[in-house]
Amino acid sequence: MTQRAATAAAAAVLAATALLGLAPQAAAAPASPVPQPQSATAENKAAAAQAATAPDTLATLSRFFAREGKVSLTAARPRIEGEAIPVNHLSPEFVAGRAGAPVARLEFLAGKAVSSDGQQAALWIARTEAGWQVVNIATGDDEFRYAQLGAAKLPGGTVFREPQIDAWYVAGGSRVLPLDEDAVRAVGAGGTTLGAYRTRVAEAYGDKLPGSAYAEGGMAGGYAEAEAVPAAVAADAEGAGVPWAAGAGALVLGMLGVAAVRRSRRVGARA
């Protein structure tokens, strides 16, 4: 997987706020993140649905789907299909070896957006200081496809993403099974035990957890506001590695440090 400069990735996130109508903020010291709920309750899903179907969100989706000329702005007519689903990421508590910590934690809810010409995108919806908001729009249907694959491969298991290598897994009992090629490269086609997986991620990310020197340097954990950057730079940040940070009600979701942003184009300026 190609990794680009973290500054380019931050620029991509900044590009997201502009189209969503959020003003970029001046650079500031990291603050405490707004914790996400432990589970996606009916109330949370209802709040996410409200954010996904808001007029401003649909207008942004029209611009998103029309950005490369595949469909005109007026003809995009985006719609939201189904209810929002939980998206889990590798848990830093699990990496740290905290007793009883689950392998993954809820990172955001995803809503499926579809344009009139069949383009698909995932709305990343998270709880912020201002309430539930759309914090990113990503091309494709990864969140929904892997949720279905995981349910079929290990019914009742927890589907989650290891953002640092853009790998998707399903975990259940004492097993962690791969759902994509990145995960197969990490744990093998037959998967691995939960204990062996924790050993691997502890070796890979244990020195990048919140409270580490890496984190104290501003590379992991927390929210960080950022300055606006040229749109041309933001457009070039697709697929870059980014830290877990956020500001002005916007999130860069991908905890533990360098996170691989999948085929997504940030809409507007997300700090």
Side-chain angles (χ1 to χ4, degrees):
M1 176 180 303
T2 300
Q3 297 271 337
R4 299 184 187 173
T7 51
V13 175
L14 282 169
T17 302
L19 288 183
L20 286 172
L22 298 177
Q25 304 294 313
S32 298
V34 175
Q36 299 305 302
Q38 293 185 350
S39 62
T41 64
E43 182 180 2
N44 294 333
K45 289 181 178 181
Q50 185 174 3
T53 56
D56 286 349
T57 301
L58 296 177
T60 298
L61 281 168
S62 292
R63 295 194 293 274
F64 181 83
F65 287 129
R67 71 194 185 282
E68 294 177 348
K70 295 178 180 179
V71 65
S72 71
L73 184 64
T74 56
R77 296 193 301 278
R79 65 185 185 277
I80 307 301
E81 290 190 347
E83 69 174 12
I85 65 170
V87 178
N88 303 299
H89 279 190
L90 173 63
S91 166
E93 290 77 19
F94 177 81
V95 174
R98 184 173 300 175
V103 65
R105 69 180 185 185
L106 182 67
E107 196 75 2
F108 56 90
L109 300 181
K112 180 183 287 189
V114 182
S115 70
S116 62
D117 66 339
Q119 294 182 71
Q120 296 186 46
L123 295 173
W124 295 7
I125 310 163
R127 186 166 62 185
T128 74
E129 291 182 354
W132 286 88
Q133 293 185 330
V134 175
V135 297
N136 183 55
I137 301 175
T139 59
D141 64 345
D142 285 13
E143 289 79 7
F144 314 99
R145 181 160 47 87
Y146 289 121
Q148 293 177 346
L149 286 173
K153 195 167 188 176
L154 191 59
T158 298
V159 175
F160 71 98
R161 178 174 178 247
E162 184 183 332
Q164 294 75 15
I165 60 172
D166 195 22
W168 288 85
Y169 309 86
V170 59
S174 62
R175 299 295 298 173
V176 176
L177 304 179
L179 296 178
D180 68 356
E181 293 181 358
D182 294 303
V184 169
R185 283 192 289 269
V187 301
T192 188
T193 65
L194 191 64
Y197 179 72
R198 201 203 75 78
T199 297
R200 189 188 73 78
V201 296
E203 291 176 351
Y205 315 124
D207 61 347
K208 299 176 177 62
L209 291 166
S212 66
Y214 185 85
E216 292 299 323
M219 295 300 293
Y223 289 72
E225 297 180 352
E227 296 178 305
V229 295
V233 177
D236 189 52
E238 184 175 358
V242 296
W244 181 44
L251 307 179
V252 180
L253 298 160
M255 60 87 205
L256 289 180
V258 180
V261 179
R262 81 156 205 268
R263 306 177 301 275
S264 70
R265 190 163 297 197
R266 297 296 193 252
V267 216
R270 287 293 181 199

